[in-house]
């Protein structure tokens, strides 16, 4: 199935005019471990888009305050439309007036492992999303450890750090590590030079 034929991407494709936006429209599943990406996105309001590769698409949430390393903190995560795989390497400027208009940087990226269990058995990730609870172990450059994604109602979920060895209320990568893991640029630097768009279909090394 090509991305354009994948019904999970219908909403993504319908929202965008690809003659205007530099955003990607396709991509292939990872050959090895599934990927995750967190994109800092200065749209009407700044937020962090957290995306988990599940069965060849990026299942996505917009997290206004970004991920926390503190188990005691619950971050609102609003489910958004599934994105195509190539979006994991997208950094640049979406033109004003277009859907999601504003600047995007790849704030963190890496691989993830599904840890969602039910009655002692591992639950497949697509089923976990459908049931409203995903436990994801993230291995990024900034984020490490497990997070729970818990649906509260309709599109609203919470993203909560699991109380594992990596949890640390003193760590705040959203505050302390603003730069792109792809280009080393800040959101402000990308906004100031929107011509320098970055496209990559590979995760950062
Ligand atoms: Mn966004």
């Amino acid at each position: 199935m090509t991305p354009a034929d994948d019904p999970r991407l219908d909403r993504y494709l319908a929202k965008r005019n690809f003659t205007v936006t530099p955003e990607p429209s396709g991509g292939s599943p990872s050959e090895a471990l599934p990927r995750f990406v967190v994109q800092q996105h200065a749209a009407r309001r700044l937020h962090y888009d957290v995306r988990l590769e599940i069965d060849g698409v990026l299942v996505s949430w917009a997290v206004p305050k970004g991920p926390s390393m503190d188990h005691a903190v619950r971050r609102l995560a609003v489910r958004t439309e599934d994105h195509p795989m190539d979006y994991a390497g997208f950094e640049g400027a979406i033109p004003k007036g277009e859907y999601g208009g504003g600047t995007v940087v790849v704030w963190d990226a890496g691989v993830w492992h599904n840890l969602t269990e039910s009655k002692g058995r591992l639950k497949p990730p697509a089923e976990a999303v459908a049931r409203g609870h995903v436990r994801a172990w993230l291995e990024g450059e900034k984020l490490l450890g497990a997070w729970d994604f818990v649906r509260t109602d309709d599109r609203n979920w919470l993203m909560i750090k699991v109380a594992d060895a990596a949890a640390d209320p003193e760590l705040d990568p959203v505050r302390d590590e603003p730069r792109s893991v792809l280009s080393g640029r800040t959101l402000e630097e990308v906004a100031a030079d929107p011509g320098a768009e970055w496209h990559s279909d590979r995760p950062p090394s």
Side-chain angles (χ1 to χ4, degrees), residues 39-43 45 47-49 51 62 80 83 87 100 104:
Q39 280 152 319
Q40 193 184 19
H41 184 187
R45 297 182 75 168
H47 60 272
Y48 293 75
D49 289 301
R51 312 188 195 279
T80 55
H83 279 45
Y87 213 93
V104 175

Side-chain angles (χ1 to χ4, degrees), residues 149-184:
F149 295 78
V150 183
R151 186 168 58 213
T152 55
D153 63 83
D154 191 25
R155 294 175 64 210
N156 293 326
W157 295 56
L158 295 169
M159 182 180 182
I160 308 164
K161 182 76 195 72
V162 172
D164 56 20
D168 185 346
E170 300 297 311
L171 289 178
D172 189 353
V174 165
R175 180 192 62 204
D176 297 334
E177 300 180 71
R179 289 183 180 276
S180 165
V181 296
L182 275 191
S183 66

